[in-house]
Amino acid sequence: MKKILAIILCFIFFSSHIFASCQDCNDKLTKISNNLYVYEDCCNVYLLKDNDEGILIDFGSGKILKFLSKVGIKRIKSVLVTHHHRDQIQGLSEIGNKDFDIYIPDDEKQLISEAEKFWENAHIYINYNLRSHFHSVRKNIKAAKTVKDGDIINIGNYLMKVLQTPGHTDGAVSYVINIDGKTAVFSNDLISAPGKVTNYYDLHWGYGGYTSGMNASLESFKKIKNENPSILLPSHGKPMNNPISAIEKLEEKFKRLIKMVTPNRKRRTSEDIFSVSKHIVYLGSTSYALVSDNGRAIIYDFGYIDSRAKIPEFIKKYNIKSIDAITYSHYHDDHIIRTPELLYRLNNNEKTIETEIWIFEEMLDVFENPVKHNLPCLIPFPIKADRVIKDGETIEWEGLKLYFFYMPGQTIYHQGLMVEDEGKRYVFSGDNIWHPADGVRPMNSPIIPRNRYFLKEDHGYLKISQDLIDLKTDVIVPSHYFPFSVTRQELEMYRDWAKELTVLYREIIDQPDANMGMDHKWIRFYPYRAVVKPDEEFKANVEVTNHLDFPSEFTVTLKYSENIICSQQTKTYKISAKSTDLIPFAIKVKPGKNVKREIICADITMNNTYIGEYTEMVMDVK
């Protein structure tokens, strides 16, 4: 009964609240007050009437232009943009001559009026900037003016005050306008409903900036509250007629969340080689080694470690005769990037034998085909596996039992390893757990949505905390910190932290399933980047994960320049509940075109709900 009720509620949510309303059944302007309307597109597009002329706040797909005459508007004078995301302005890059002025945030002009330059130099590999810059338009949008905090814009009978209100993006603005006797604040995507935001992943800016977007949002909320608004008009969600209360509910949740995700960690103070136990050795940087009584070794992670100094020292100190294998906690550059260098040195050392690469099954494709992904900390070259390790697999090696298991926390592409040595159980946790700095707070972990993180019982820190308890863990061996002992009570406190965190995320994220606002790649291109020749057909897949409890229909339309040919531009698929499917497209670059890079976007409709150009891929032309 509860499941049926949840499904019904999801349908209601879709029909009235998700990204926008149905394209076909709600193609109309909704009146908010005498001179203020909203058109629910891939974002909320607001119309301010000024006699028979209009001012738009954001633009969406531009479909609003077809309905202006119904409310007596003959022309649009200006478009005021709140932030650079495609769903706000994708239509502005599609229409030709514009007989209206466009105002954009000054801090985001490089992503709007200079978007083509951004894409030309887009930094895909070893990228630690987690801001949502990849959600920029494909083509430049020429702006009449850029706006900054405190600017006053006079258009017709309206005065608009600009507030710099970062949070959802780091350069976003809001507009304060007195209309029909009310102080209205057009608040971008800072807030979508009382105590809620449309997604969490856009709040994480720099790699270690776990609270950056939330901290910025709290400062932005202060600015908005100082304007004493009568109505709050978000880019996604319904107008809020009690703005102060709506904001304060989100402020309270953000403050709780900031406290929970602020690192409780004690940094490593030395990178000298030392023995963790009889058969476990710390090598330096993020690397460890398992050492047998017979002088054989397995290396666990090999990132930015000085192999010229460390490996000879390790071999000499522990009388190492061979390094049998290298395996990895996860795919990040600081855990794997010097693998080729290590193999080169080993193969030129007469004491070594051929070393195998062992890669866990859940992260195999990221290692072997990094060009097909757009993830943080991704290296630009492949590492091929000699052995693929399965979830739950035990490898008996030199008298030690190595138990490998799936450990999806800091990223879903992550393995764990448990080794029993000298009567204790050691769990290699990679980057999933910080060494606690104090015993007052429970140990906690990094939440990095762009690494991909799922709010599920069998994923994330709910799974990891329970696995650590079930494995009867004695010592946690983290990559960036000293190993530390744990008690069952401490692990249960960690599990309680993970449970509370999951509940809080579900309360904050304003989607029919919270994973749609946590997993930014629930719709993505696979591969992300392709290198092609002109007139060479290429298969591009749009991978869709349906996080909902019922089958969902997805219509995908590719958007691209005149240099691209696609045999079938639009496709519709039904995807089962809680499953992932690929929607394939055959595309190619027209011959005779002097093209270096093309950006292709996927314009999405889900269950008659228009999402817009949610994801993109990069095509580099030889």
Side-chain angles (χ1 to χ4, degrees), residues 156-385:
N157 291 315
Y158 294 102
L159 286 177
M160 293 87 163
K161 181 179 179 181
V162 179
L163 299 181
Q164 193 82 24
T165 50
H168 183 68
T169 74
D170 56 350
V173 300
S174 296
Y175 298 97
V176 184
I177 304 172
N178 189 284
I179 183 167
D180 297 329
K182 291 185 175 182
T183 300
V185 175
F186 299 84
S187 54
N188 66 74
D189 273 319
L190 267 177
I191 181 171
S192 61
K196 293 181 178 290
V197 287
T198 188
N199 71 62
Y200 182 74
Y201 48 77
D202 284 330
L203 291 168
H204 194 145
W205 295 355
Y207 193 82
Y210 308 106
T211 65
S212 49
M214 290 188 287
N215 290 334
S217 294
L218 292 175
E219 293 303 312
S220 295
F221 291 150
K222 290 178 184 177
K223 286 186 177 181
I224 290 175
K225 289 196 293 185
N226 285 340
E227 299 296 326
N228 195 25
S230 309
I231 187 169
L232 205 59
L233 300 161
S235 291
H236 295 89
K238 301 299 182 184
M240 287 164 266
N241 290 308
N242 193 343
I244 303 301
S245 173
I247 288 172
E248 287 178 347
K249 287 178 181 178
L250 188 53
E251 286 177 321
E252 184 271 330
K253 291 177 183 177
F254 274 178
K255 288 175 182 177
R256 284 170 54 200
L257 192 52
I258 287 169
K259 186 176 180 180
M260 292 188 72
V261 301
T262 295
N264 176 17
R265 62 185 173 190
K266 181 180 181 181
R267 296 188 180 276
R268 181 184 283 130
T269 55
S270 170
E271 293 204 357
D272 293 340
I273 293 176
F274 73 92
S275 294
V276 177
S277 68
K278 182 180 179 181
H279 296 105
I280 300 173
V281 175
Y282 172 66
L283 295 180
S285 187
T286 58
S287 300
Y288 289 86
L290 300 174
V291 177
S292 79
D293 295 333
N294 297 321
R296 306 173 79 90
I298 293 175
I299 289 180
Y300 197 84
D301 284 342
F302 206 78
Y304 296 106
I305 183 172
D306 185 357
S307 62
R308 290 177 297 180
K310 291 285 189 177
I311 295 304
E313 180 186 352
F314 168 62
I315 288 172
K316 182 179 180 180
K317 185 173 182 178
Y318 292 91
N319 194 26
I320 300 301
K321 298 178 176 63
S322 69
I323 296 178
D324 293 352
I326 309 170
T327 190
Y328 311 93
S329 60
H330 60 296
Y331 74 90
H332 285 177
D333 60 300
D334 58 330
H335 294 257
I336 70 175
I337 197 165
R338 285 190 170 169
T339 296
E341 177 184 327
L342 175 61
L343 293 176
Y344 172 82
R345 294 189 182 283
L346 292 177
N347 290 331
N348 281 274
N349 185 328
E350 62 184 10
K351 291 184 179 179
T352 67
I353 61 172
E354 185 174 352
T355 302
E356 289 187 341
I357 301 293
W358 297 355
I359 298 176
F360 192 71
E361 58 184 341
E362 291 288 343
M363 54 196 195
L364 180 64
D365 191 62
V366 181
F367 272 79
E368 296 197 334
N369 300 291
V371 72
K372 294 183 178 181
H373 299 265
N374 181 17
L375 293 163
C377 319
L378 192 67
I379 65 171
F381 56 84
I383 295 177
K384 300 292 185 180

Side-chain angles (χ1 to χ4, degrees), residues 28-38 49 71 180:
K28 64 181 182 181
L29 289 164
T30 299
K31 190 174 185 177
I32 298 173
S33 62
N34 287 340
N35 294 289
L36 177 61
Y37 292 77
V38 62
K49 288 186 66 178
V71 292
D180 297 329

